[in-house]
Amino acid sequence: MTATAPSMTAPANGWCALSVLHGRIEARVERALQAGHDLSVREYSLLEVLSRQHSGEGGHLQMRQVADAVVLSQSATTRLVTRLEERGLLSRYLCPTDRRGIYTDVTEAGAALLGAARPTHGEALREALDDARRDDALRPLVEAVEALGTRGA
């Protein structure tokens, strides 16, 4: 079964293939993270994004920036942060220079869980891409994803 249909326009075929690839990757990674670490893909992504923060200029993200980075609405991101905070994986505090701003940091427990989950995430991603490479319609997208990963490396 292919990801695209001959009757679709080229952009529609491309969009369909991208959607299929994303769905397959997300499902594979979700299963692996849930089974191995009791983490969803969204939770993992949030921990990953927040773990890259630093104390230097512009090093902490505002909630809307976090929402953009994990591709969720601000309200969904806030709910996700709250869930992970309740699990002891994140902590929140007021911005020292703008009392209206709230920052979120990964706790030691969150960093440990993220560290343990990274290999699982990487292995599941690799397996999903290898499987997708077997589909002629998805192979160019897999190659594009891999090429993007080597930029700047």
Side-chain angles (χ1 to χ4, degrees), residues 123-147:
E123 183 178 330
L125 176 59
R126 178 79 267 145
E127 290 170 357
L129 289 171
D130 287 347
D131 285 349
R133 183 186 311 283
R134 294 182 190 101
D135 185 322
D136 291 340
L138 299 180
R139 186 176 306 111
L141 292 172
V142 171
E143 291 168 357
V145 167
E146 291 170 338

Side-chain angles (χ1 to χ4, degrees), residues 73-122:
S73 68
Q74 279 190 257
S75 61
T77 301
T78 299
R79 288 190 302 274
L80 185 58
V81 166
T82 298
R83 279 197 315 269
L84 292 182
E85 185 178 33
E86 289 169 354
R87 289 176 59 185
L89 303 175
L90 298 177
S91 62
R92 288 189 252 198
Y93 63 95
L94 290 176
C95 170
T97 58
D98 179 359
R99 303 298 260 166
R100 297 169 296 169
I102 297 174
Y103 288 149
T104 305
D105 278 337
V106 177
T107 63
E108 285 185 32
L113 181 58
L114 178 61
R118 278 185 178 130
T120 303
H121 180 273

Side-chain angles (χ1 to χ4, degrees), residues 57-79:
E57 181 69 29
H60 274 84
L61 300 172
Q62 297 173 351
M63 197 56 71
R64 77 175 157 70
Q65 294 170 304
V66 173
D68 288 345
V70 295
V71 194
L72 290 172
S73 68
Q74 279 190 257
S75 61
T77 301
T78 299
R79 288 190 302 274

